[in-house]
Amino acid sequence: AAIPARSRAYAAAWLKGADMKQICSRATLFRHAKVIRDVAGFDISSPRNVTDFLIRVRVVELEAAVAPPWHWTHKAA
């Protein structure tokens, strides 16, 4: 089942790591927490352990492989 539209924004904020006690009143928090807990199975009234991390991009350029000089000097047995 889908989370009702009125509670969806609170669920999304919690999933992003927002402190729900700063976003809404206590009564609103518990009202939406009950709906989300019953429908989706997670509790927005408990803190979410989310940390931001730096994304590092590394560009790797590929070139055609060249056989080393010793490859052409060996003799077949």
Side-chain angles (χ1 to χ4, degrees), residues 31-54:
R31 181 173 58 249
H32 290 290
K34 180 181 182 338
V35 171
I36 294 168
R37 192 179 321 109
D38 293 344
V39 174
F42 58 88
D43 187 7
I44 66 168
S45 62
S46 63
R48 181 148 164 86
N49 185 11
V50 174
T51 56
D52 292 332
F53 60 94
L54 178 65

Side-chain angles (χ1 to χ4, degrees), residues 13-21 23 48:
W14 182 81
L15 288 170
K16 290 180 182 176
D19 182 7
M20 300 308 293
K21 294 177 183 176
I23 292 177
R48 181 148 164 86

Side-chain angles (χ1 to χ4, degrees), residues 58-71:
R58 182 174 158 198
V59 177
V60 177
E61 294 186 22
L62 302 177
E63 297 177 359
V66 178
W70 56 262
H71 178 76

Side-chain angles (χ1 to χ4, degrees), residues 6 9 29 40-41 55 57 60 76:
R6 290 186 177 186
L29 172 62
I55 297 174
V57 177
V60 177

